[in-house]
Amino acid sequence: MNQNYTILHLYSDTMDLYGDSFNVTAIANRLREMGDNCEILCANLGDDFDPMAADLIYMGHGKARNLAAIAPHFLSHGAAIKEAVEAGKIFLVTGSSRMLFGESFETYAHKIQEGLGLFPYTGVETGQVFTGDVVAHTRFDPSLRTYGFVNRTAYLVGENTHPLFDVQIGPGDGDGASAADHLEGTLYRNFFGTWQMGPLLARNPGLLREILRRLTGSEPEYDDSLEKKALELTLSEFDHH
Amino acid sequence: MKFLIAVLVGRFIRFVGKFVNRSSNLPGQVALKICPDLLQRFTLQGKFIAVTGSNGKTTSTNLIAHILRQAGYSVAINTEGSNLAPGVATTLLTSCTLSGKLPQDYLVLEVDERFTPIVFKDLQPDYLVVTNLFRDQVVRNGNPDIVFEKIQSAIPKKTTLILNGNDPITLQLAPENSRVIFGMEKTSRSAETSEFLTQDCKVCPKCFHKLRYNYYHYNHIGDFVCDFCGYRTPEIQYMATDVNFEAGTFVVQGENASVTYKTTFHIINTCGAIAACVTAGVPLAKAIQGAATFQVSKERYDEMDLSGRKAVLMLTKQNPTSLDQSISYTLEQPGEKTVVLHVNNVLYTEKKDISWLYDVTFERLKGKVNKIVCSGSRAYDIAVRLRQGGFTSDEFLVVDQLPQIKEEIKKTSGTIYILAASAFGNEDGILEALK
Ligand SMILES: [Zn+2]
């Protein structure tokens, strides 16, 4: 009956800017509430890690310098990470960590850093902070509406072959200036990637359910009416404008 | 001529503005339009002390000015909320002679971190106090690295830095410049392990390996050492030692000092203010004397009676460290407590993000308060945040219509601590609703 789950939180000390770790907390809280065990492992610069040994891998948003600092260490585990993605392990990657999974990205010092090459996008660094609310519909369930926020200094170029969101309000993956910039994030097998930073799962009960569905293989049962109400109120404020 | 017109027009707007209670930015804004290089045209006769950083700038600026005035010097200072270029211009044009001379012994200016490049380009400080750097509210400010780069690029070669020896981030500013370091020794309130979720220096800012702390004062402020590259807390010249929080006393440079607002945060900032004043020419004994009589602004902290119950109002900035400080203060007080968390949308932007609430360690309130009341336009978001922190539904209540708050408060007991996190706190009348 009781299941044991392991969450691997990659670079929890380095890629941690705005309450990102609450994505992990939100998953663990609900698993425990349903009577399952959940262990959270953190791996940081210099630590060895094995993504295949975890049930879910999380990586959050970090400063441009921090991203550049961890990139070589991350890529030294590249083969294992690619294998885990292709094997259908659940990944949640929020904020600037996404750039590690593309072809390449520009660092804060304007050097080109190679990525894993899982997805065909490349990251462009601007050195300027760009912020915005994002209201979107998810690709796995178009009736699901989400709210998120971006705070970033980079954007992506290249075709989005596996989008996670259709953006209704706010910036997509690109520089935010283009009207055609209506796609956001990545959903490939069980890999969820998005620019939307912070406690995304804590604020979006529908997204959290989808991840738990995929993780547990069944419809998760718990009361998330408070979370739904809070999200509904936030989304309604956009409709009134 | 352009300069004179700008000064006169600015002063006229300021004069009229006083009667209609308008922002102190407008006179400077108009004057800068008339004379874009206005800031360059002033000649300082005294010394210029600038204050920047994430938290504690306004209080530090007021404290420095208070010490200088108590010591008998004349001072020009900008008022709260006018720390952007137009606000600085307003201060200068109302303090100068018609030829643009600033005759005061000292010019003391609070400068917003993001505006340091613009202000310091034209007006180079002799001394720059940097209180600290933290992650700010995501909506507004970007991240500490971006803010660090802004300040770094703004610092003139001649400026002497007054830096917080317990802050690994700001200590890296302008390594070539001369510097004076302030800080605080381990106290009864220091912690061996951080009790805060927000820690902007989990890794060494130089080599990105784990940063070890011998003790924390709060968040990432403490005594640090990197075992990988050797980066560590430097020798601190103005160090608060023998801190007694109950009495509000401490020792700095061998002399007894005291404060009226008895918190870790304020004592560290007071050491910074004393360091700045002494470095700028005030005798140590005079600086200590001035600091002892300084009162924290009533607009930020006030006590009152609400239907027979004691209430404490604390206006916090919309950033995690500021709210964490108010929670610390609340927990340090004796007796039963109810906490009102009042959070609105971020002023000016109307953006809905509340990620910063997830960096505030509300968990510290668990089991320590009678009830938490969530109010303001983001009341439900606070409730969701509390739920994630393990609070159960009998530990908090949500007030989504402000007029109902008075009735809801009746269901609670103990002293009411109102932690209002919005730029000007009371703009939507929480106090009126409670009365
Ligand atoms: Zn180091």
Side-chain angles (χ1 to χ4, degrees), chain B residues 203-211 225-232:
Chain B
V203 295
C204 171
K206 287 187 187 290
C207 75
F208 298 92
H209 287 80
K210 196 158 188 70
L211 195 61
V225 56
C226 173
D227 293 322
F228 194 84
C229 77
Y231 182 48
R232 63 188 312 144

Side-chain angles (χ1 to χ4, degrees), chain B residues 270-301:
Chain B
T270 300
C271 276
I274 291 172
C277 290
V278 175
T279 309
V282 179
L284 177 66
K286 290 248 179 203
I288 288 175
Q289 241 173 47
T293 58
F294 178 74
Q295 300 285 339
V296 171
S297 156
K298 264 209 147 202
E299 286 155 22
R300 307 222 141 200
Y301 177 92

Side-chain angles (χ1 to χ4, degrees), chain B residues 219-273:
Chain B
N219 299 94
H220 71 267
I221 304 299
D223 189 72
F224 62 90
V225 56
C226 173
D227 293 322
F228 194 84
C229 77
Y231 182 48
R232 63 188 312 144
T233 298
E235 192 192 327
I236 295 175
Q237 291 102 331
Y238 291 82
M239 166 99 109
T241 62
D242 307 284
V243 176
N244 179 331
F245 287 106
E246 287 67 40
T249 57
F250 59 98
V251 172
V252 59
Q253 293 215 330
E255 300 288 325
N256 291 318
S258 67
V259 286
T260 58
Y261 193 62
K262 303 158 187 175
T263 66
T264 293
F265 184 74
H266 187 59
I267 292 173
I268 295 176
N269 284 340
T270 300
C271 276

Side-chain angles (χ1 to χ4, degrees), chain B residues 52 60 98 122 181 208 218 375:
Chain B
T52 194
S60 294
L98 289 182
D122 293 340
I181 312 291
F208 298 92
Y218 63 92
S375 79

Side-chain angles (χ1 to χ4, degrees), chain A residues 125-140:
Chain A
E125 175 65 35
T126 67
Q128 297 295 317
V129 177
F130 166 82
T131 67
D133 289 314
V134 181
V135 176
H137 292 274
T138 58
R139 275 287 165 108
F140 60 82

